[in-house]
């Protein structure tokens, strides 16, 4: 891929990556509800690639913004209405991504809680301490795990 040569190009690249990450998170929600475990593994890899690419763009922006010419370029861009729209859209996408991540994490947590309660019913365990921790993994001393898989 061709290296961006201006701060505005980097901002546009980051915006495109953020849009793709948002779409990826939407697909993840569909796969979680599906459930489509094979699809989830591919989405996990894609999210890692996207976040790495976003980090690279952010680092390029920091590097490009250093020095007198970078500072002047930022000043000029800040007066450009098109650039303001770009910054606003980037901020909006970041918020959408945060919300989507929180929704997906909540769905996973609720699913784990449901499975734990179901296992409790099957084993006649009642209201004892859960077998699985909220964020994954088995609680120590709870006996053999009925389900043991990383998500």
């Amino acid at each position: 891929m061709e290296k961006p040569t201006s701060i505005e190009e980097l901002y546009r690249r980051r915006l495109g990556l953020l849009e793709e990450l948002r779409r990826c998170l939407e697909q993840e929600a569909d796969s979680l509800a599906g459930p489509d475990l094979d699809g989830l593994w591919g989405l996990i890899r894609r999210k890692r690639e996207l976040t790495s690419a976003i980090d690279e763009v952010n680092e390029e922006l920091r590097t490009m913004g250093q020095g007198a010419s970078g500072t002047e370029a930022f000043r000029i861009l800040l007066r450009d209405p098109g650039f303001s729209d770009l910054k606003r859209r980037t901020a909006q996408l970041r918020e959408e991504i945060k919300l989507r991540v929180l929704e997906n994490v909540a769905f996973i947590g609720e699913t784990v809680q449901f499975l734990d309660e179901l296992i409790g019913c099957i084993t006649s365990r009642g209201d004892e301490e859960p077998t699985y921790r909220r964020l994954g993994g088995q609680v120590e001393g709870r006996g053999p795990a009925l389900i043991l898989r990383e998500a």
Side-chain angles (χ1 to χ4, degrees):
M1 181 177 292
E2 191 176 308
K3 260 216 179 304
T5 57
S6 74
I7 293 172
E8 186 172 5
E9 286 178 44
L10 285 170
Y11 268 89
R12 290 190 188 286
R13 170 123 173 83
R14 181 170 60 181
L15 181 64
L17 291 167
L18 288 170
E19 287 175 343
E20 194 171 340
L21 181 58
R22 182 185 44 81
R23 283 191 301 271
C24 189
L25 289 166
E26 289 171 354
Q27 292 172 350
E28 181 182 61
D30 293 340
S31 292
L32 286 169
D36 176 14
L37 294 179
D38 292 333
L40 279 173
W41 290 116
L43 289 169
I44 289 169
R45 281 190 296 277
R46 185 64 186 139
K47 285 191 314 183
R48 285 184 183 142
E49 292 168 2
L50 289 169
T51 54
S52 291
I54 291 168
D55 288 343
E56 288 174 15
V57 169
N58 288 339
E59 184 57 36
E60 286 183 58
L61 277 168
R62 275 190 285 282
T63 303
M64 196 176 275
Q66 294 173 349
S69 62
T71 304
E72 183 59 27
F74 272 121
R75 279 194 203 121
I76 292 168
L77 281 173
L78 289 174
R79 290 186 291 242
D80 181 1
F83 186 70
S84 296
D85 289 342
L86 188 63
K87 283 181 58 177
R88 182 190 46 74
R89 180 67 181 135
T90 299
Q92 181 183 15
L93 267 174
R94 286 181 182 269
E95 290 304 312
E96 289 177 30
I97 288 168
K98 286 178 188 176
L99 180 62
R100 190 53 86 167
V101 166
L102 290 173
E103 289 172 352
N104 290 353
V105 167
F107 182 85
I108 292 168
E110 291 167 5
T111 303
V112 168
Q113 182 179 2
F114 170 77
L115 289 173
D116 197 52
E117 290 171 3
L118 182 63
I119 292 167
C121 290
I122 293 170
T123 62
S124 301
R125 199 179 67 225
D127 290 333
E128 292 180 22
E129 181 180 331
T131 302
Y132 299 97
R133 287 187 222 117
R134 177 162 166 67
L135 296 176
Q138 184 180 9
V139 174
E140 298 296 323
R142 296 297 307 152
L146 179 61
I147 300 173
L148 186 59
R149 184 168 183 177
E150 288 185 15

